Amino acid sequence: KLEMTNISGNVSIKDSKINLNDLKTNALGGSMRIYESVYETSNPKSPSVSFKMNIKDFDIPSTYNTFPIVQQLATVAKYTTGRFSTDVNYTTSLDATMMPVMTSLNGEGILTTSNVVVSGFEPLNKLADELKMDKFKKTEFSNLKIHFWIKDGKVNLDEFPFKSNSVTGFINGYTMFD
């Protein structure tokens, strides 16, 4: 249920594969370019997909509401407003409903934002309560640049600096789908 406009690119079907090359479109308040994507069905019981894409200025709440995979990979997006851009490459097997098999997801990318606000996210609420600093309950982040990589369904974040109000620090970590 993704509304796209101004679509252009190349689609080819051959040898149980659908190839998308240089597909460009506007969506979610920004733009997307898929440099190369392959949907392969040589084994119909275990199809796979790979993507190399660039996303510019997508609205975070709209992206969260549109893509179930974002709901699984980045739960913090539910509590975030703002826009993001990313360059990402990934591969995954698909299940019978055409959803990624999370334990087969592999890839990497860089996510950037200019200004986002996180509000109501329980880990930040708990941090604010423990530190007795309510300002962490609604936190603004500026100019984030996050390198992430995914291996066998585990999303890892390389350490990156952040600044929120007068607080600076570093964040790193991972999330798993199980």
Side-chain angles (χ1 to χ4, degrees):
K1 298 182 180 179
L2 175 63
E3 183 177 326
M4 297 185 288
T5 59
N6 299 322
I7 300 170
S8 67
N10 300 304
V11 178
S12 64
I13 302 172
K14 184 179 179 182
D15 299 328
S16 301
K17 295 179 185 178
I18 299 174
N19 295 289
L20 302 176
N21 290 299
D22 203 26
L23 179 75
K24 299 173 189 171
T25 187
N26 295 331
L28 300 172
S31 63
M32 176 173 60
R33 181 176 180 193
I34 298 174
Y35 296 99
E36 181 180 330
S37 174
V38 178
Y39 169 65
E40 184 173 353
T41 62
S42 56
N43 179 354
K45 293 186 181 194
S46 181
S48 64
V49 67
S50 65
F51 277 96
K52 292 181 183 176
M53 73 174 101
N54 171 269
I55 292 171
K56 288 186 181 175
D57 294 323
F58 270 20
D59 178 68
I60 294 171
S62 297
T63 302
Y64 179 86
N65 291 326
T66 301
F67 296 106
I69 192 167
V70 173
Q71 296 167 14
Q72 292 177 325
L73 289 173
T75 55
V76 68
K78 179 178 182 179
Y79 306 95
T80 305
T81 58
R83 296 186 170 278
F84 75 97
S85 298
T86 187
D87 284 300
V88 64
N89 304 321
Y90 73 89
T91 62
T92 186
S93 297
L94 301 174
D95 65 18
T97 65
M98 300 291 288
M99 291 300 296
V101 176
M102 293 302 179
T103 56
S104 75
L105 191 59
N106 292 289
E108 70 175 319
I110 295 178
L111 181 123
T112 59
T113 67
S114 57
N115 187 31
V116 297
V117 176
V118 180
S119 179
F121 186 49
E122 194 56 29
L124 289 178
N125 289 344
K126 286 184 179 185
L127 177 66
D129 291 343
E130 290 296 319
L131 296 175
K132 296 179 179 30
M133 298 175 76
D134 284 343
K135 66 181 177 181
F136 284 113
K137 291 185 177 184
K138 181 178 179 184
T139 307
E140 296 182 26
F141 296 98
S142 298
N143 301 318
L144 295 178
K145 184 175 183 180
I146 305 166
H147 177 254
F148 63 92
W149 46 280
I150 306 163
K151 180 154 177 62
D152 301 326
K154 179 180 176 182
V155 180
N156 298 274
L157 302 177
D158 286 351
E159 185 173 272
F160 62 94
F162 75 91
K163 181 176 182 183
S164 178
N165 301 319
S166 62
V167 177
T168 60
F170 293 89
I171 297 174
N172 71 340
Y174 65 89
T175 187
M176 297 172 63
F177 303 116
D178 59 359

